[in-house]
Amino acid sequence: MLQRHSGFALLLLLLGITAYRAWVVATNGLNLYVDEAQYWYWAQQLDWGYYSKPPVIAALIAATTGVCGDSEFCVRSGSLLLYPLSAWLLFLLTRKLFNAQVALLAAALFITLPAVSLSSTLISTDVALFFFWTLALYAFVFALDSDAWDDWILLGVALGLGMLSKYTMGIFLVSALVYVVVARRFDLLRNPRAWLAVGVMLLIFAPNVWWNWQHGFPTFQHTADIAAGSTQGALHWDEFAEFFGGQFGVFGVLLFPLLLWVIGRGQVAHKTLLMSFALPFLLIIMAQALFGRANANWAAPTYVAATVLMAAWLYAKWKTVTAVLVLNLALGLLVYHPMPLNQLLNTDLHKRLKGWEVIGAQYRELQQDYPDALLLADGRDVLSSLAYYAKPEGLRGVSWNPQHQMRHHYDLVTRLDDKQGQDFLLVTANNLPASIEPYFESVQPVGQLQAVIHLSWKLHYNVYLLKNFRGLRTP
């Protein structure tokens, strides 16, 4: 019965979970995180690239907000759409390798992963990366079986769009090479259709390379700086331990240790294939954590193939399956409804997603007294969040960057050298630097922006009116 109706059962599951998550996003009242607000800002000016990320995240937000407006729900709704589609692709992929029952379990495990539960209520580059990584693995598995032109072309399209989502999509090629070597499928290196897939990927990715070339390769440099880690050559065991411990929260407190056991001793069909597309990503990011820093979610695509692997191993072990699903669902519920943890820890786990709506309203009121002054800030957090919550006319916030540094996107796209004679409202979390005064005819404090979130957390910014900018050459 389940074999025949597994697709319908999955559809009901995805609709139910997505409807619940949509309700959470629509009613939780959480503001956009700084990165989310920055992505929304990018979406107002579509381009082939941005300072720290390729363009798909901005295009995705532009598409969803173009349909339903600029509310937080609409900004984040791309996650609510793409994760169910990723789960459906994973179902089709697993059914190809195993059967419909294992496929249904794989999709159920994936859609309830703690990382997916959290990411489904936010918007980030991981959303599109998950989808295109899953699509690429789907196409690769089908291409291995059929060697059909359309499967290889689909693989190239998925790889190209994945690279336009996040550069770590390139690790897919590393995984494919690992599979070629371990499975001794050297014939794939002589297959012109496989090389066509690489060509399609490069063709789709080329506009972002061109954009980077035009702008001095800021995204490549930013990514390289992150990957470089420590320049001292020291091993960061604390960062490694934090990253490794974080995987229990990404994949599941029970599912992750079970995965480690299966990697070492588990017997599963297609293990070579699935391990080739899981382990390299995890090991690369673990090495990055050891030599520098890596957030727990940076290895997230590991768990596409790993979910299939675990579904195949767990199938018919129903007590273990139940325990895994219950624990992961419980973690997801704590993410959505953290009050018990807040009370236990005497904190607010959502504190970084609160307060900017209040700050934005306060800034708008202050701006009315100085309508000709432009927003000026020394950090991307202020520029991003006020762009969304205060929406200064034309989104004309400017980065205070007299040294022409390249720290974030606003250093790339805003300029001071054409603003001579302009008045500014400087919003800063710090006191006014003495070095800023010679650039202006007069400087005076005009107010403060403040939002108290919790006894241990508040937002506080000073606002200064800077009149008649004298230009970047100080007297």
Side-chain angles (χ1 to χ4, degrees), residues 256-275:
F256 183 63
L258 287 174
L259 171 63
L260 297 180
W261 189 90
V262 170
I263 288 173
R265 301 185 62 181
Q267 299 298 314
V268 182
H270 305 293
K271 185 177 179 180
T272 297
L273 172 66
L274 296 171
M275 288 283 291

Side-chain angles (χ1 to χ4, degrees), residues 110-129:
F110 176 82
I111 203 65
T112 57
L113 290 180
V116 172
S117 293
L118 173 60
S119 187
S120 292
T121 60
L122 305 170
I123 190 68
S124 72
T125 52
D126 286 343
V127 176
L129 178 64

Side-chain angles (χ1 to χ4, degrees), residues 222-264:
H222 174 76
T223 304
D225 289 343
I226 292 174
S230 172
T231 58
Q232 305 301 317
L235 298 181
H236 296 246
W237 290 106
D238 55 338
E239 293 285 349
F240 178 85
E242 183 177 342
F243 172 80
F244 186 81
Q247 301 316 296
F248 290 84
V250 171
F251 199 50
V253 292
L254 179 56
L255 198 55
F256 183 63
L258 287 174
L259 171 63
L260 297 180
W261 189 90
V262 170
I263 288 173

Side-chain angles (χ1 to χ4, degrees), residues 263-308:
I263 288 173
R265 301 185 62 181
Q267 299 298 314
V268 182
H270 305 293
K271 185 177 179 180
T272 297
L273 172 66
L274 296 171
M275 288 283 291
S276 296
F277 286 91
L279 204 52
F281 208 124
L282 182 61
L283 292 176
I284 288 170
I285 306 302
M286 285 174 68
Q288 184 172 338
L290 182 60
F291 288 100
R293 181 184 67 88
N295 294 336
N297 66 295
W298 288 2
T302 291
Y303 301 113
V304 175
T307 298
V308 179

